[in-house]
Amino acid sequence: VTTTGVANANITARPLTLTASGVNREYNNSNIATVSFSDNRVSGDVFTVNYTASFNDKNVGVGKQVNITGISLSGTDALNYSVGETVSTTANINAKTIIISPDANQSKLVGENDPIFTYTSTPSLYSGDSFTGALGRNPGTIIPNVGNYSYTLGTLSAGPNYTLVLTASPATFAIMRNTQSISLIAGWNIISSGVIPANPNNNLLTVFNTLIGESKLIKIMNESGQASEDWGPSIGWQNPIGNILSTEGYKVKVNSPCTLNVSGTSVSLPLSIPLTTGWNIISYPASANQNAQSVVQALIDAGKLVKVMDERGAAIEDWSAYGFGWQNNIGDFVPGKGYLVKVNSNCTLTINE
């Protein structure tokens, strides 16, 4: 005997076990959080877990509690599952990085107080957040403290929710001078100036006017052999050289020890000095001594330098033929001095502080 019949049974919703993992994020001025879920759904079932997640507050922190509420399911197989309404987990809120870019062309005269350093920031802070403190600078070790100085973050802060970082290639802060005193010995000197007067006071005869008036100046010559000198009572001082230039050195002959005082504006460094094949007279507009060979090392490395001489006849030159390599008998380049430089082809020498 074969018997058939119909029976009724229930398919109850499968309890869904949710495991939440908090997603770390950057500070964004809100306490909104994001999580991801793993669960025990039947393979192939399709549904979406809807939820609201929030941190207890908006601030930076590690292992912060994330509260997950309002959990519900939607989608094709959503009705086949039951789920609780709350779950919790943890996540980090990381500080937001702000790039600080000091403004270019900030400077002061030596002896003055530092100004308040200005800057731009990228991206902007969130509404309600603000900077406190101020940028600083490297104090340096140069005496006198003329030169270019790197910025530091100083006391600048946007609070613990931000990390401040100086831009990769920040501008520098310039401490400038407006006077320079250049000592001259009786006879020939080779000089240059790190301070250049404004036009028309940059005319060489104006620059040397005091020494002319004191009858101490005999002659000024440039690297081309042009001379500014006194042509006698009927003609007076003649100046075919023209204006004093920041890149040039000059041969100066005086009849007794004296001092040339120059007023004007500091030469901005780094300074690129064009050199032509053969002998040049270069300036040294930096404010502190530097090892002479270090200053011209780039020309040595490029195979361009033949020789450097100072006003005493001391030289930097290659003694490789004698087994010694490059020798520096000058010592340091000194502010106020100029130097004879011989190169084997046109090139550029860069002077920095």
Side-chain angles (χ1 to χ4, degrees):
V1 177
T2 301
T3 304
T4 61
V6 176
N8 294 322
N10 296 332
I11 300 178
T12 58
R14 179 184 178 90
L16 188 67
T17 301
L18 289 176
T19 301
S21 298
V23 178
N24 299 333
R25 67 160 173 83
E26 185 179 76
Y27 170 76
N28 63 8
N29 201 34
S30 79
N31 68 341
I32 296 172
T34 302
V35 298
S36 62
F37 292 105
S38 60
D39 57 54
N40 63 336
R41 74 181 66 189
V42 174
S43 177
D45 281 0
V46 177
F47 57 82
T48 299
V49 180
N50 307 302
Y51 67 94
T52 299
S54 62
F55 292 99
N56 289 334
D57 59 54
K58 66 179 183 178
N59 298 315
V60 164
V62 176
K64 296 172 67 75
Q65 182 170 320
V66 176
N67 302 306
I68 307 165
T69 60
I71 297 174
S72 65
L73 305 178
S74 60
T76 304
D77 300 301
L79 295 179
N80 292 327
Y81 293 86
S82 63
V83 64
E85 292 187 355
T86 61
V87 181
S88 66
T89 186
T90 60
N92 302 337
I93 297 180
N94 302 315
K96 185 176 183 64
T97 298
I98 302 295
I99 304 299
I100 302 297
S101 301
D103 291 335
N105 302 318
Q106 299 188 76
S107 65
K108 72 169 186 176
L109 289 175
V110 63
E112 294 180 344
N113 293 328
D114 282 2
I116 295 174
F117 303 132
T118 58
Y119 58 90
T120 57
S121 60
T122 306
S124 300
L125 303 187
Y126 287 106
S127 177
D129 295 339
S130 61
F131 290 105
T132 59
L135 281 181
R137 67 171 176 88
N138 187 322
T141 58
I142 297 174
I143 300 176
N145 58 342
V146 172
N148 297 319
Y149 294 84
S150 59
Y151 289 100
T152 67
L153 288 174
T155 60
L156 189 66
S157 173
N161 292 325
Y162 296 92
T163 296
L164 305 186
V165 178
L166 281 174
T167 185
S169 300
T172 55
F173 177 70
I175 299 180
M176 309 175 75
R177 54 190 165 178
N178 55 8
T179 61
Q180 183 173 9
S181 296
I182 302 171
S183 296
L184 305 174
I185 60 173
W188 283 104
N189 303 260
I190 302 179
I191 69 130
S192 66
S193 181
V195 174
I196 302 298
N199 187 51
N201 295 324
N202 56 348
N203 182 282
L204 269 178
L205 296 187
T206 303
V207 173
F208 283 84
N209 183 61
T210 299
L211 299 188
I212 293 172
E214 294 172 348
S215 299
K216 294 183 176 181
L217 182 65
I218 298 174
K219 195 173 190 177
I220 307 169
M221 292 183 66
N222 66 7
E223 64 187 20
S224 300
Q226 294 175 305
S228 298
E229 57 189 327
D230 187 0
W231 283 25
S234 61
I235 299 178
W237 280 86
Q238 299 299 300
N239 178 27
I241 298 176
N243 298 331
I244 188 170
L245 300 176
S246 61
T247 57
E248 302 299 309
Y250 301 90
K251 295 180 179 179
V252 176
K253 188 176 184 181
V254 293
N255 56 28
S256 61
C258 53
T259 300
L260 173 65
N261 295 307
V262 184
S263 297
T265 301
S266 282
V267 175
S268 295
L269 300 181
L271 177 70
S272 295
I273 300 176
L275 304 175
T276 57
T277 303
W279 284 104
N280 303 260
I281 307 179
I282 68 162
S283 67
Y284 178 67
S287 63
N289 291 11
Q290 294 185 51
N291 179 276
Q293 186 169 330
S294 296
V295 175
V296 298
Q297 188 63 46
L299 299 182
I300 295 174
D301 296 341
K304 302 282 189 180
L305 186 65
V306 178
K307 192 172 186 176
V308 181
M309 292 182 65
D310 66 10
E311 64 188 16
R312 302 168 298 143
I316 299 172
E317 55 189 327
D318 188 2
W319 286 19
S320 294
Y322 308 100
F324 296 105
W326 282 89
Q327 299 297 303
N328 174 17
N329 294 308
I330 293 176
D332 287 349
F333 278 177
V334 178
K337 298 296 183 181
Y339 296 90
L340 292 159
V341 176
K342 186 177 183 181
V343 292
N344 56 29
S345 61
N346 293 350
C347 52
T348 299
L349 173 65
T350 300
I351 305 292
N352 212 334
E353 196 67 67

